[in-house]
Amino acid sequence: MSIRPVTEARRAMPTMEGAGVHLHRAFGFQDPSELDPFLLFDDFRNDRPEDYLRGFPWHPHRGIETITYVLAGSVEHGDSLGNTGTLGAGDVQWMTAGSGILHQEMPLGNARGQMHGFQLWGNLPSSLKMTAPRYQDVQGTEIPEMIDDDGTVVRVIVGEFWGRRGPVDGIAADPQYLDVSVPAGVKKTFRIDTYRRAFAYVFEGTAAFADASRPTGVLLEKEVMGQELNIRDMSGDRTLIRFGTGDEVTVQAGPDGVRFLLISGAPIEEPVAWHGPIVMNTQDELRQAMRDLQNGTFIKAAH
């Protein structure tokens, strides 16, 4: 077994998207090879309705897949294929844009005005860029949730973990998407296939991730299972942790415990031509997508 080194720990940055939604972006619109096959990750969390109610009106996507995971509040959605629905707390939607789709997402919040969710963009390989669009809407009750003996809770949104498989399938990036809660003071190790790129996103509490590349790092004051763990400084709310290669991630929860997403996927390693919500392989393909939008041929016939 080999611990994945922590290559970077950075805070998500505040930004605005859609018609004026305030959110925090952990990565996106920079180096697409950084976390290949993933392109962008947003944390939309707010308790001021005026900061999110204008939502994300009609906009196009082509060449990518998006996963929306709602923790609080709800999101109404509709698309050019005639699909409509509402995502509630705990629900997930995976949208394969493929050859092209127009859709909108309108956050509503809960009775206390709170809204919280995440959106992740996954790239599609060239062979699937123009595949037929599709949706997978999953209710929170369908997502497996396991509790370990030490109190660790894992929701398996996509992929397989601890012998359970998440309900979303057929995803090109072959991802694993876990929602993990580790109780205060508990040290936990999670296996990740070596060939995957991986990151964690901390959104509650604090934690330290073991780092094989820093054997002389800061030591925890508390011993865990009789062994001190060499760690980076504690990472808190809205922190992205990027990992290098290896086959396991070890985390030490802080004094109030920690909740984080642990996400990994198989890199595509293809050229990326990217403009806003459209991601292709070449500039010519990108220009064609723009022409399709202008002349009304962006939405392709079912195939």
Side-chain angles (χ1 to χ4, degrees):
M1 301 298 173
S2 60
I3 296 175
R4 285 178 175 251
V6 175
T7 59
E8 183 181 22
R10 68 172 184 245
R11 294 294 301 275
M13 299 299 294
T15 188
M16 286 202 332
E17 278 293 348
V21 177
H22 293 248
L23 51 81
H24 283 72
R25 177 158 294 153
F27 63 88
F29 296 109
Q30 294 171 330
D31 179 3
S33 67
E34 178 179 78
L35 282 164
D36 179 19
F38 306 114
L39 298 165
L40 176 146
F41 181 84
D42 284 343
D43 177 348
F44 52 97
R45 183 189 333 178
N46 227 304
D47 56 9
R48 285 167 40 95
E50 59 268 34
D51 288 343
Y52 62 76
L53 279 178
R54 290 185 293 274
F56 307 91
W58 292 98
H59 58 281
H61 283 292
R62 177 178 284 182
I64 64 171
E65 300 183 282
T66 67
I67 183 170
T68 304
Y69 179 30
V70 178
L71 293 184
S74 61
V75 178
E76 288 187 346
H77 67 88
D79 66 51
S80 52
L81 302 178
N83 299 307
T84 60
T86 301
L87 298 175
D91 295 349
V92 175
Q93 179 192 85
W94 197 294
M95 182 194 74
T96 302
S99 60
I101 199 166
L102 299 172
H103 78 153
Q104 65 173 351
E105 299 150 306
M106 306 303 288
L108 299 178
N110 60 21
R112 295 187 298 277
Q114 298 168 321
M115 184 71 227
H116 190 193
F118 306 104
Q119 188 165 92
L120 174 70
W121 291 12
N123 199 6
L124 282 170
S126 56
S127 60
L128 295 176
K129 288 288 188 189
M130 298 299 287
T131 193
R134 69 167 180 151
Y135 273 95
Q136 296 183 67
D137 283 344
V138 177
Q139 292 188 341
T141 53
E142 300 177 55
I143 297 173
E145 181 174 294
M146 293 90 73
I147 304 177
D148 208 2
D149 292 342
D150 58 13
T152 297
V153 179
V154 179
R155 301 188 81 214
V156 185
I157 296 166
V158 187
E160 187 172 349
F161 189 75
W162 287 351
R164 300 290 299 278
R165 177 165 288 279
V168 180
D169 62 9
I171 306 304
D174 185 28
Q176 185 182 63
Y177 190 129
L178 309 176
D179 178 351
V180 180
S181 298
V182 182
V186 171
K187 171 189 171 186
K188 201 72 177 175
T189 295
F190 302 91
R191 293 291 309 276
I192 298 177
D193 290 342
T194 307
Y195 71 92
R196 297 171 178 269
R197 297 270 172 80
F199 69 91
Y201 183 75
V202 178
F203 61 96
E204 286 182 17
T206 57
F209 291 84
D211 186 358
S213 69
R214 290 186 61 184
T216 58
V218 181
L219 290 177
L220 284 174
E221 293 180 2
K222 179 179 179 181
E223 291 192 352
V224 182
M225 297 172 61
Q227 294 182 339
E228 289 178 326
L229 177 66
N230 293 312
I231 61 167
R232 285 184 184 268
D233 295 336
M234 285 277 180
S235 295
D237 186 24
R238 293 194 174 109
T239 300
L240 173 76
I241 310 292
R242 290 175 56 208
F243 300 106
T245 57
D247 54 20
E248 64 181 34
V249 166
T250 296
V251 61
Q252 168 72 50
D256 297 315
V258 67
R259 187 175 179 186
F260 61 96
L261 303 179
L262 183 58
I263 300 174
S264 62
I268 295 173
E269 298 180 335
E270 291 182 350
V272 172
W274 187 354
H275 181 73
I278 299 173
V279 184
M280 305 303 290
N281 293 106
T282 69
Q283 290 299 317
D284 283 345
E285 292 170 341
L286 204 54
R287 284 189 285 269
Q288 182 61 55
M290 297 299 111
R291 287 193 294 268
D292 289 347
L293 273 172
Q294 293 167 3
N295 64 26
T297 60
F298 188 78
I299 305 303
K300 306 301 181 183
H303 54 282

